[in-house]
Amino acid sequence: MRKTVHLAVYDTLADWETGHATAELTRRGHRVVSVAATDAPVTTVGGLRILPDTTLDLLRPEDSALLILPGADLWLTGDALAPFARAARAFLDAGVPVAAICGAAFGLARAGLLDGRAHTGADRQVLDASGYAGGSRYLDADAVTDGDLITAGPTDPEAFAREIFARLGVFEPHVLDAWFRLFAHSDASAYPTVAAAG
C-alpha cells in the first residue's frame, strides 16, 4: 500500500483541522508530504509559516494514498485555490481518496465534486452558497465518507481524522472506536486501548 499522504497547504489554512490526522498517520508509518501551489512559504490562519515539501504541478495520484484538503479562508473568497479542487478531481478520477474539511468542502462543492456524492460541511446553507447542485446529498453529520471522498465540518477534526483512519486502515475497528472516544469525548476509559495499540 502507498504510505505517502499529501497535505495541501496554502495561506489562511485552518491550523486545527488536520492535526489529529497528520500526527497519527505519521506515528503509524505514513509519510505526510505538504504540497503547495509554489515552493514559497505559506502562512496559516494562526500565523505559522510552512515551507512546502513539493508543488502542485508535481503531484500525481499514483504516488499518493490520500490527498488532505484543509479549510482556509481563501476557499470562500475567490478562485485562488481552484487548482487544489482540480487536483482533488484527478485523485478521485484515479480512485485515490480525498479528504476535505470545512472550506475545502465548499471548494469541492463549487467545483461540482459533491453533486453526486453524500457529503457534509460547515453547514447546508454555506454549501448552497457555492452554487452547487448537490444539496440533496448533504448529510447533517460530523463527517461523511462516500467511496473515496471524505468530508467534514470545521468543528469536527476528530471525526475527520476518524474517517481518514478508517479509509486507510490505520487502526483496527475497536482501536479506532477507542481513539475517537478518547479524543472527541475525553473518555479516559479508552486510553488503555489506544496506548496498547502503540
Side-chain angles (χ1 to χ4, degrees):
M1 175 184 175
R2 291 171 290 197
K3 299 286 272 187
T4 298
V5 170
H6 287 90
L7 171 68
V9 296
Y10 22 72
D11 288 334
T12 72
L13 179 152
D15 307 65
W16 62 92
E17 292 178 343
T18 62
H20 285 294
T22 57
E24 291 292 352
L25 288 169
T26 299
R27 285 180 175 170
R28 308 295 166 190
H30 287 76
R31 177 175 173 246
V32 177
V33 174
S34 59
V35 57
T38 71
D39 59 4
V42 299
T43 304
T44 71
V45 74
L48 299 177
R49 287 171 52 88
I50 299 172
L51 184 63
D53 296 313
T54 191
T55 53
L56 203 50
D57 60 314
L58 300 176
L59 181 65
R60 301 180 331 151
E62 59 266 30
D63 297 331
S64 188
L66 172 75
L67 175 61
I68 301 174
L69 299 172
D73 295 343
L74 288 177
W75 283 111
L76 306 174
T77 58
D79 294 326
L81 300 184
F84 290 92
R86 287 193 292 273
R89 182 181 299 279
F91 269 61
L92 292 169
D93 287 348
V96 180
V98 172
I101 185 169
C102 187
F106 180 92
L108 296 191
R110 186 166 46 198
L113 292 172
L114 305 186
D115 289 352
R117 295 176 173 94
H119 62 275
T120 192
D123 178 86
R124 182 187 306 268
Q125 287 74 29
V126 170
L127 290 181
D128 284 345
S130 73
Y132 84 137
S136 66
R137 304 298 306 271
Y138 178 88
L139 299 175
D140 188 11
D142 57 5
V144 172
T145 299
D146 185 343
D148 288 324
L149 180 65
I150 297 165
T151 52
T155 60
D156 296 298
E158 298 90 355
F160 185 58
R162 178 195 65 210
E163 297 301 302
I164 289 170
F165 302 155
R167 183 63 181 79
L168 295 183
V170 173
F171 292 116
E172 294 292 325
H174 75 284
V175 177
L176 181 58
D177 175 70
W179 182 92
F180 186 71
R181 287 187 290 112
L182 177 63
F183 287 99
H185 302 295
S186 300
D187 181 354
S189 71
Y191 178 77
T193 301
V194 176

